Amino acid sequence: MRLPDLEAWAIFASVVEHRSFSGAADAIGLSKATISKAVTRLETHLGQSLFHRTSRRLSLTENGRVLAERAARILGEANAAEEAARDAALAPAGLIRMAAPMTLGLLYLTELIADFIAAHPGIEIDLHLSDTKLDIVAEGFDIAVRVANLPDSSLRARRLGPVTVHIVAAPVYLARHGTPTHPAQLGEHACLAYTNLHGPWRFAGPGGAEVAVRPAGPFRANSGDALLPALRQGLGIAVLPDFIVGDDIAAGTLTPILADWHAPPIALHLMTPPGSLRPARVDLLLDYLTVHLRRLCPVDDGPHDVPNAEFTNSAQ
């Protein structure tokens, strides 16, 4: 039986990650010619092209796109195995790449990470804050924080607990336009929409009733936090998680409405790429974040690792 060309698979994964043969060569410390030969060798063995090559651009073929995630998994498992062996003899050290939503990251994660690095000076963290949907495997993240209702996939999810979602407006808006008593009435109101959640707003209510409303209004943004100034000024109604609007509700600057209705449930998760092997430093950070981030959630049945995942190319 012919053994798989693991070196070629790993080099292919690196080319995909760095988006060029030159970038992969610099990252790995091999010549561009060696990189090119390895990819060609893999293509010959597979009997299919992995890249479209022109003088100006390198792009994945459809077959290449399908195989890129498997290649990234092979490379990740190999790196994790080597790092686990090293970490067994040494204090955890090295780089952890992490992705998280902008608001949650700024409000809670940055301080937690500072404390973690102070306690583990051998560990470096590269934190990517964005509400943009990311493919954590293709972009090489070790951990991603997600606030979402996650459909099945090959990634692993540690569910930390539920996240409360509020339907809110400023008192001045409600005084001016009236308070909706049924979600269907939201179609008559100005709505401030979070654009990373596509499609209509959906609500469940008394007796199992379900309502879908397509929001329309003067302002929408791909960051929930960006909607707050418009909300406070009374420009509309929004549906946002407690960690964004909780302080305003407590201060009275925003008022929850439609108490008998709720948006689809979402939860706070820690996501990792597929596979059971992780460097010790990643497990250390996962356990640390589990303890501290669970405090943001209402009482739940506790964290657990499950084969689960994310929206296509990730979620908030």
Side-chain angles (χ1 to χ4, degrees), residues 205-255:
E210 296 183 353
V211 176
V213 179
R214 191 164 294 278
F219 185 43
R220 54 187 178 272
N222 66 352
S223 166
D225 200 44
L227 300 176
L228 279 177
L231 264 176
R232 292 166 180 155
Q233 290 186 36
L235 298 182
I237 297 171
V239 179
L240 291 169
D242 185 75
F243 64 83
I244 292 181
V245 297
D247 288 345
D248 282 88
I249 291 173
T253 52
L254 294 177
T255 300

Side-chain angles (χ1 to χ4, degrees), residues 5 20 33-34 47-48 54 58 60 109 127 139 161 168 182 194 197 222 242 245 247 255 267 275 288 294 300-301:
D5 190 342
S20 71
T34 299
Q48 55 187 274
T54 69
L58 182 72
L60 286 166
L109 281 176
L127 177 63
E139 300 194 34
V168 293
H182 191 280
Y194 174 59
L197 297 180
N222 66 352
D242 185 75
V245 297
D247 288 345
T255 300
Y288 171 82
R294 283 194 69 207
D300 194 28
D301 58 356

Side-chain angles (χ1 to χ4, degrees), residues 169-181:
V172 64
Y173 177 89
L174 300 175
R176 187 181 303 133
H177 301 284
T179 301
T181 58

